[in-house]
Amino acid sequence: MPETMTATRNHRLRAVQPRRTTPGWWRDACGLVAGGSLLVVVALWVQNRGVQLLSTGPAGLLTTTGRLTGLLAADLLLVQVVLMARIPFVERSYGQDELARRHRLVGFTSFNLMVAHIVLIALGYAASDRKGVVREVWDLVWTYPGMLLATAGTAALVMVVVTSVRLARARLRYESWHLLHLYAYLGVGLALPHQLWTGADFLASPAATVYWWGAYIAAAGSVVVFRAGLPLWRTLWHRPVVSAVVPEAAGVISVHISGRRLRRLPLRAGQFFVWRFLDGPGWTRGHPYSLSAAPSPDGLRITVKDLGDGSRRIAELRPGTRVALEGPYGRLTADSRTRPKVTMLASGIGVTPLRALLEELPYAPGEATLVYRAGREADFLFRAELAALAARRGVRIFYVPGHRVIGRESWMPHRAAALSDEEGLLQLVPDLRDHDVFVCGPDAWIDAAVAAAHGAGVPAAQVHVERFGW
Ligand SMILES: Cc1cc2nc3c(=O)[nH]c(=O)nc-3n(C[C@H](O)[C@H](O)[C@H](O)COP(=O)(O)OP(=O)(O)OC[C@H]3O[C@@H](n4cnc5c(N)ncnc54)[C@H](O)[C@@H]3O)c2cc1C
């Protein structure tokens, strides 16, 4: 099937000792903090007779359940904010992909709880005030402190959730969706006053009010520090600037970035930054691009495929253009390694982080394999560099050109359709189950490649994925 390329030289490389710099307990700690914060708000509810009110009749039952759902919704909203605040500790424990997935799950859960809160409180108050629900809601919004703000906040959160439903999101340009999504912060902020001014659980206890202010300040602070402060600091401290712009293939450009004190960046091969090139209007829009070569004190390199207006702009960059850095992010690094042998499964531009990893990872000759898929021969990037890596480090490289198998999801080209995806992989890497498998490319292709690796007997802990989001 593929074109093979192997050359081994007698390299004496020390045995690979997997080393982790992201301790496993970090993840547990994140889970504990999030779970603990939920327990705190439930404890507040219990402390304020929340349980007793369940058996005081329909009005009491509705109102107290409404209070509980409100507390849980509000707490999860803060967890939401912290999940996407890019706190290095959290980012390195989960990675962007998984954080985005959890953000989505927590977001919809929090929203559903918020809707339940609004309905239950309106029904409960109407029942105890012996008023119609519409009348009650009107009075709540116009007469209760902070409720007008909370109503505006709810409208913002409804807009964010509606535009994040897959169907709606698919119809929006990424930039438009991202801009609308920022209203979530407004929604969270506008909800706070009514919680403190009318929330029975906070009014009853100054300690609870202090705790809740503390939680809000910590969440807002983490966004300011890690999404604005740290990127600004790194950009000013390292002064990154475009040093060269190099065409790699049709519609693919490499950008070399130099800067100061780059060796001090906590950066690994396999990671990405969100890049902003200060080259005129639209510079505020950041785009994530992985490093396409191992980081070096002399400079960084990214390689970008022209997919839309943001990536197309890269071709117009000029040396000397200032760059704003946000990151580094990503867990597709040596940290996640568990085995001496590695196999890289790359498709198209997804080769970028894997090419960088092949340069940085320690491995013995013959212990690293790259399976590189592309639609056409002309689409393969970095041929000369990969040949040099094969010669210098004994990497086995399989170029697998051809359009996809028709009629089933597959990582392979059409001409290999007679084989199952697992057979195709094991034909190239017979001892694949003893490898760490790093996978990057378009989403659907990744799903097929990961399924094939699992089908070929590779445990989930040895499969490491970076999704480019399309
Ligand atoms: C972790 C990661 C690493 C990446 N590394 C590379 C790389 O090394 N080389 C490369 O060519 N591409 C890479 N990408 C993809 C690249 O970010 C998108 O192709 C680019 O942002 C497209 O923007 P656009 O304006 O050109 O196209 P648009 O038409 O605006 O977007 C095309 C698609 O790209 C995605 N996208 C757009 N903007 C963003 C954004 N700011 N954040 C996340 N996704 C976005 C959306 O899902 C959208 O559907 C990476 C993406 C991610 C998430």
Side-chain angles (χ1 to χ4, degrees), residues 85-88 217-234 326 329:
R86 306 239 162 118
I87 304 170
I217 291 167
S222 58
V223 173
V224 172
V225 169
F226 295 108
R227 291 210 72 156
L230 185 58
L232 185 63
W233 156 254
R234 286 207 168 126
E326 193 191 324
Y329 303 128

Side-chain angles (χ1 to χ4, degrees), residues 385-403:
E385 293 174 23
L386 292 170
L389 264 174
R392 197 163 49 80
R393 304 280 313 274
V395 183
R396 304 180 331 131
I397 300 178
F398 298 100
Y399 291 99
V400 190
H403 294 296

Side-chain angles (χ1 to χ4, degrees), residues 361-397:
L361 290 181
Y363 47 78
E367 289 196 339
T369 305
L370 170 65
V371 178
Y372 187 3
R373 280 281 288 118
R376 303 163 308 149
E377 279 293 341
D379 298 333
F380 288 117
L381 302 172
F382 312 131
R383 275 213 184 242
E385 293 174 23
L386 292 170
L389 264 174
R392 197 163 49 80
R393 304 280 313 274
V395 183
R396 304 180 331 131
I397 300 178

Side-chain angles (χ1 to χ4, degrees), residues 337-351:
R337 220 174 147 180
T338 62
R339 298 279 170 167
K341 295 181 181 173
V342 291
T343 289
M344 307 286 169
L345 301 180
S347 174
I349 197 67
V351 74

Side-chain angles (χ1 to χ4, degrees), residues 174-175 272 286-290 303-305 307-311 349 352 466-470:
Y174 183 90
E175 278 84 8
F272 67 94
H287 291 272
Y289 300 122
S290 304
T303 303
V304 177
K305 181 175 174 64
L307 267 185
D309 48 11
S311 46
I349 197 67
T352 52
E466 183 73 86
R467 292 180 183 275
F468 282 7
W470 29 264

Side-chain angles (χ1 to χ4, degrees), residues 76 80 83 98-113 166:
L76 287 175
Q80 266 298 72
L83 278 178
E98 190 173 344
L99 281 175
R101 262 197 310 282
R102 287 172 183 251
H103 175 79
R104 203 177 160 74
L105 177 68
V106 173
F108 283 113
T109 311
S110 162
F111 182 75
N112 296 337
L113 284 166
R166 286 193 205 288

